[in-house]
Amino acid sequence: PGHFESRHGMAAALTRLGRLEASLSFLRACLSRRPDDTEVRFQLGRNLSALGRLDEARAPIEASVAALDSADA
């Protein structure tokens, strides 16, 4: 599926099933279409963190927090 919603739904389903590694490609595809999507960035960071890939997880999590902070300002 080429649509954002389809890819996002697949990533969410894979995450719920514990298939975090498989979810990453769908999350990254979502970000390629909507790079400012805070929810997708945060989920990517969470999944990377859960996989022990902390260095990779830092950037998407920090970007999500920064976006939320600027939205509150």
Side-chain angles (χ1 to χ4, degrees):
H3 301 285
F4 175 87
E5 291 79 12
S6 298
R7 289 176 188 253
H8 190 235
M10 182 62 92
L14 289 167
T15 297
R16 283 191 301 276
L17 292 170
R19 298 186 55 205
L20 303 180
E21 188 70 45
S23 75
L24 298 179
S25 64
F26 289 96
L27 290 166
R28 288 184 175 123
C30 288
L31 283 178
S32 73
R33 293 188 178 276
R34 295 186 191 169
D36 296 329
D37 191 299
T38 303
E39 180 183 341
V40 173
R41 279 192 292 199
F42 185 74
Q43 189 61 55
L44 176 63
R46 272 185 53 182
N47 288 8
L48 287 165
S49 178
L51 289 166
R53 294 161 63 176
L54 302 179
D55 288 340
E56 289 177 75
R58 183 172 289 117
I61 290 173
E62 287 178 353
S64 296
V65 170
L68 291 174
D69 285 345
S70 68
D72 289 340

